[in-house]
Amino acid sequence: MDNLSDTLKKLKITAVDKTEDSLEGCLDCLLQALAQNNTETSEKIQASGILQLFASLLTPQSSCKAKVANIIAEVAKNEFMRIPCVDAGLISPLVQLLNSKDQEVLLQTGRALGNICYDSHSLQAQLINMGVIPTLVKLLGIHCQNAALTEMCLVAFGNLAELESSKEQFASTNIAEELVKLFKKQIEHDKREMIFEVLAPLAENDAIKLQLVEAGLVECLLEIVQQKVDSDKEDDITELKTGSDLMVLLLLGDESMQKLFEGGKGSVFQRVLSWIPSNNHQLQLAGALAIANFARNDANCIHMVDNGIVEKLMDLLDRHVEDGNVTVQHAALSALRNLAIPAEAAEQLGKNVKLVERLVEWCEAKDHAGVMGESNRLLSALIRHSKSKDVIKTIVQSGGIKHLVTMATSEHVIMQNEALVALALIAALELGTAEKDLESAKLVQILHRLLADERSAPEIKYNSMVLICALMGSECLHKEVQDLAFLDVVSKLRSHENKSVAQQASLTEQRLTVES
């Protein structure tokens, strides 16, 4: 390695007077030394102070700029060399070289910048501010025949797309079009996987979601699903999952989702529907998640409910009841819960005896807390959103009341609250039908416990008192309220720090006093 020291000394001289032949020779020696022992050679390069001279060799006129960029790329593989490269002022001249026409220069420059900024969000942000994104997108378009350059661009996009600040810049380029064009040409799994790794973070941005949909990405993804659905090869299974996940991600944007729904007539929507009855768990999952996303506005919900989506989701749930895939069950129940948001749809679902009976069964699925929780929440949602007597009657007849009462004791405040609101609607609209079930589920005792418990959230105390007032219309429940000294608990709440709770306590106290 002693001749390395000679090379570095010689390089210092030739870098200043720019004797081209000896300069090229020195650079070749350095590249050889780096290939043999990168770490040790890098340490010597740093100690020699030669990095400071490299900036002057990276000008567009320099004949050895590709080799210099290659050396920088090699030394910057070492973490300890990255800050020295930045301190030597190499980033700015390297960024300038991205405008070169020479493919070798572009490749080595891209590698050098990538290695210097590897894992550093602040340096990557600096590159974004220097405008590298539009430049790299343009390069991808021009040099798409060059596999090495294409790969360099994709690696760079993958790193930069992790930063939130990059999304706006990407959205102002034609990245969506370029990536979809590239994707269509790729046959190899690894290359597609690289493109997927760029698409996933970019697709988190709503503007880019729409651009990807308009560039035809969805058609590509549907084709992949069709090709890979029956394969049991590891790569194909991975690709099926990545493709269908990305499809669901595209539906998270309001505009991209509506564009693909096309009033329920869209071919994409129809294709996604066909995933639900398929035999592939990954597709069933993606199908259910996609329906949950399509169900983000009322018109779509009503259209889907009118066209039989509930039966499809119930069939899917039925297939997974015994030792099935809990993730799929969860997704199907979430989709039903989204579908039940508009009143017209909630009423249809809530009057569907088969569905309600199924939900009541799943409310007892003790082994699957997630499925149990979702089923309870859906029962409550059907009542809260429909505010319909018929729905309440169906739920009472199917034995759902006891589950709503149990749900009021959940450790999750949001679920407790949903249960109490549903129970208050039952008490207001159909108390006569439900009173026997409310009595045997020990609702009054539970409400007493919730009001007496210091740890109950303010909204729980508030809704418990509203419910107590509503129960006074039933003779047997009224008697239970009188037997359990509610007045003591309620009068204490008049001085509660939460204004709404304090006011409701006064009203409830008056009601209890009058009725006693």
Side-chain angles (χ1 to χ4, degrees):
M1 287 297 254
D2 283 341
N3 55 358
L4 176 60
S5 311
D6 298 341
T7 301
L8 288 167
K9 278 183 199 146
K10 193 173 169 193
L11 186 55
K12 268 190 165 168
I13 301 162
T14 50
V16 178
D17 57 22
K18 302 208 170 51
T19 340
E20 293 217 347
D21 292 348
S22 41
L23 189 56
E24 293 272 347
C26 290
L27 294 171
D28 286 337
C29 288
L30 267 192
L31 281 168
Q32 260 171 336
L34 282 163
Q36 281 160 5
N37 189 332
N38 191 314
T39 311
E40 197 178 326
T41 307
S42 296
E43 283 166 350
K44 295 204 169 172
I45 288 175
Q46 189 188 356
S48 71
I50 196 91
L51 280 178
Q52 273 59 29
L53 300 173
F54 278 176
S56 66
L57 299 176
L58 289 170
T59 59
Q61 304 78 276
S62 160
S63 62
C64 57
K65 51 189 179 284
K67 278 183 183 159
V68 174
N70 190 355
I71 290 171
I72 297 169
E74 287 302 315
V75 300
K77 285 177 176 173
N78 303 288
E79 196 177 340
F80 67 86
M81 289 299 286
R82 290 171 193 158
I83 298 299
C85 286
V86 176
D87 294 343
L90 300 181
I91 287 191
S92 190
L94 284 168
V95 169
Q96 290 307 308
L97 285 182
L98 289 175
N99 297 306
S100 166
K101 301 266 184 293
D102 181 320
Q103 298 194 359
E104 181 60 18
V105 171
L106 288 169
L107 180 63
Q108 300 306 342
T109 302
R111 284 185 62 230
L113 283 170
N115 291 349
I116 294 173
C117 300
Y118 180 75
D119 247 10
S120 160
H121 281 176
S122 60
L123 289 176
Q124 289 171 353
Q126 197 179 322
L127 291 183
I128 292 169
N129 292 336
M130 292 170 87
V132 300
I133 288 177
T135 312
L136 287 170
V137 174
K138 219 177 290 165
L139 288 183
L140 182 66
I142 299 168
H143 300 289
C144 53
Q145 302 306 323
N146 180 326
L149 257 182
T150 299
E151 193 162 317
M152 182 273 287
C153 287
L154 289 173
V155 171
F157 294 150
N159 290 328
L160 296 172
E162 296 293 322
L163 274 74
E164 225 14 75
S165 59
S166 72
K167 307 280 170 69
E168 241 166 85
Q169 288 221 13
F170 275 119
S172 64
T173 68
N174 64 336
I175 180 89
E177 210 178 307
E178 293 298 350
L179 287 176
V180 172
K181 207 160 61 186
L182 192 62
F183 193 81
K184 285 178 175 164
K185 285 196 307 212
Q186 295 307 334
I187 304 152
E188 290 169 58
H189 170 75
D190 295 347
K191 291 279 171 16
R192 276 182 172 181
E193 206 54 34
M194 275 188 90
I195 302 173
F196 270 141
E197 277 167 24
V198 180
L199 287 169
L202 285 181
E204 284 166 14
N205 174 283
D206 281 0
I208 301 175
K209 282 186 180 81
L210 192 59
Q211 290 168 5
L212 289 169
V213 168
E214 285 170 345
L217 178 61
V218 173
E219 288 68 20
C220 297
L221 297 176
L222 289 173
E223 203 171 308
I224 284 184
V225 166
Q226 205 167 1
Q227 287 166 4
K228 314 287 180 191
V229 67
D230 297 320
S231 166
D232 45 18
K233 281 189 6 217
E234 194 66 37
D235 282 356
D236 289 346
I237 293 169
T238 309
E239 216 166 297
L240 177 76
K241 177 170 169 37
T242 317
S244 53
D245 283 349
L246 187 53
M247 180 79 196
V248 172
L249 184 57
L250 292 175
L251 293 174
L252 278 172
D254 287 338
E255 283 188 79
S256 46
M257 179 270 288
Q258 268 321 88
K259 194 173 174 62
L260 295 171
F261 190 67
E262 292 179 69
K265 304 275 183 290
S267 60
V268 174
F269 171 65
Q270 295 300 333
R271 186 77 72 85
V272 168
L273 269 186
S274 73
W275 292 356
I276 294 176
S278 82
N279 288 321
N280 183 299
H281 283 187
Q282 172 57 33
L283 277 197
Q284 295 169 358
L285 175 64
L289 291 171
I291 296 300
N293 284 340
F294 279 126
R296 284 208 316 280
N297 77 38
D298 290 4
N300 294 5
C301 288
I302 292 161
H303 178 89
M304 290 191 280
V305 170
D306 286 345
N307 284 279
I309 189 67
V310 176
E311 288 64 34
K312 284 193 172 64
L313 289 168
M314 279 172 60
D315 289 345
L316 177 58
L317 280 163
D318 275 345
R319 291 165 68 180
H320 287 282
V321 171
E322 299 302 320
D323 333 311
N325 183 314
V326 180
T327 323
V328 174
Q329 283 177 296
H330 217 267
L333 286 164
S334 299
L336 284 168
R337 195 149 56 92
N338 279 8
L339 288 164
I341 290 173
E344 296 109 293
E347 180 146 9
Q348 259 181 279
L349 266 70
K351 292 198 298 203
N352 181 327
V353 178
K354 189 180 165 204
L355 170 66
V356 173
E357 283 175 351
R358 273 285 181 278
L359 288 177
V360 170
E361 266 173 52
W362 294 323
C363 285
E364 289 167 7
K366 299 268 187 302
D367 303 340
H368 304 306
V371 171
M372 197 165 89
E374 279 296 324
S375 304
N376 274 302
R377 294 188 73 183
L378 181 49
L379 266 190
S380 147
L382 294 176
I383 295 170
R384 293 190 340 267
H385 299 147
S386 70
K387 300 184 176 56
S388 146
K389 290 182 164 215
D390 289 340
V391 170
I392 293 171
K393 282 179 185 155
T394 308
I395 290 173
V396 173
Q397 281 153 10
S398 307
I401 295 291
K402 62 174 185 283
H403 297 299
L404 291 172
V405 175
T406 307
M407 184 180 165
T409 62
S410 158
E411 70 247 34
H412 304 293
V413 173
I414 188 162
M415 284 177 67
Q416 277 187 296
N417 222 17
E418 287 172 357
L420 290 170
V421 173
L423 289 165
L425 281 164
I426 292 170
L429 297 170
E430 275 297 321
L431 186 54
T433 316
E435 66 179 347
K436 284 277 168 285
D437 289 357
L438 293 170
E439 188 183 5
S440 58
K442 306 222 175 331
L443 173 62
V444 175
Q445 289 84 331
I446 285 169
L447 293 175
H448 190 276
R449 214 167 56 228
L450 290 176
L451 287 173
D453 188 345
E454 307 259 303
R455 293 163 308 181
S456 295
E459 59 268 40
I460 301 303
K461 295 200 149 139
Y462 177 86
N463 282 321
S464 296
M465 289 188 283
V466 169
L467 183 48
I468 285 292
C469 293
L471 296 177
M472 303 295 269
S474 149
E475 205 173 315
C476 56
L477 296 171
H478 184 172
K479 184 174 178 329
E480 285 192 358
V481 172
Q482 281 180 316
D483 293 346
L484 276 173
F486 264 90
L487 263 173
D488 303 350
V489 194
V490 171
S491 56
K492 277 187 196 142
L493 292 175
R494 274 175 33 205
S495 53
H496 196 280
E497 57 190 357
N498 181 299
K499 261 213 186 85
S500 308
V501 172
Q503 278 175 330
Q504 187 57 42
S506 293
L507 290 171
T508 308
E509 190 182 38
Q510 285 167 16
R511 183 80 194 266
L512 288 168
T513 316
V514 170
E515 300 270 347
S516 63

